[in-house]
Amino acid sequence: MRKLLFLCSFLLIGTSLFAQDRVKWDFTYNTSTKEIQLKAVISEGWHLYSQHINNTIGPVPTSFTFTENPNVKFEGEMIEPKAIHEYDENFEAALDFFKTEVTFTRKVAKAKSGETIKGYVTFMVCNEVMCLPPVDIDFSITIP
């Protein structure tokens, strides 16, 4: 029983780490546009789901959670570029997703130099035959 529990734990942790290898994230602040930019570079053959999908079909949409900071104010919500809208074999439905790379942005209305924006992104990746479990990745962006 102990061996089975260890094997299940190892597979779950290994799959989670594998999902993190499929997408590399870069978190930055653009001083000219006053936006945070959360860029995902997606491994070949994989896709990352849009924030705007019907999650009753199955995939977990990409989402962003921000730690409350009274010294930082945002203008609007996270913005994403136009997604690919294609039939997804894994869920037998047409869904919105991104291949190769995507940059999500959010306008910062008020923040002093040196303030830090913290939070995490939740995402799920799939290829043509399988999906990996959703993963949370922490981010921290300092306003220059």
Side-chain angles (χ1 to χ4, degrees):
M1 181 67 171
R2 191 180 284 172
K3 287 181 183 180
L4 180 60
L5 183 59
F6 174 76
L7 179 62
C8 289
S9 297
F10 178 76
L11 288 174
L12 182 61
I13 291 168
T15 304
S16 253
L17 292 174
F18 185 66
Q20 291 177 17
D21 287 346
R22 300 295 112 207
V23 180
K24 300 289 185 199
W25 289 92
D26 185 38
F27 309 107
T28 58
Y29 178 77
N30 184 319
T31 54
S32 61
T33 61
K34 297 187 187 232
E35 294 174 329
I36 56 169
Q37 298 177 332
L38 294 84
K39 180 179 180 180
V41 178
I42 306 153
S43 294
E44 187 176 340
W46 294 85
H47 56 268
L48 172 75
Y49 291 97
S50 166
Q51 301 174 91
H52 311 292
I53 60 170
N54 179 353
N55 63 351
T56 61
I57 295 172
V60 172
T62 300
S63 64
F64 303 91
T65 304
F66 294 90
T67 303
E68 187 68 33
N69 182 341
N71 298 319
V72 176
K73 301 289 182 227
F74 292 105
E75 185 178 305
E77 298 298 318
M78 290 297 291
I79 307 273
E80 67 181 46
K82 184 169 173 50
I84 298 166
H85 185 78
E86 279 183 10
Y87 185 78
D88 187 321
E89 290 286 335
N90 296 301
F91 298 100
E92 299 179 341
L95 295 169
D96 292 336
F97 54 82
F98 302 97
K99 295 180 179 179
T100 313
E101 71 179 43
V102 59
T103 301
F104 300 90
T105 61
R106 190 169 187 191
K107 185 82 165 170
V108 177
K110 175 191 152 198
K112 293 180 182 175
S113 179
E115 285 296 331
T116 302
I117 298 169
K118 293 183 179 183
Y120 62 92
V121 56
T122 302
F123 66 97
M124 179 177 172
V125 292
C126 297
N127 63 17
E128 291 182 9
V129 295
M130 69 175 196
C131 295
L132 299 176
V135 188
D136 293 337
I137 300 289
D138 294 329
F139 62 83
S140 179
I141 303 167
T142 301
I143 307 296

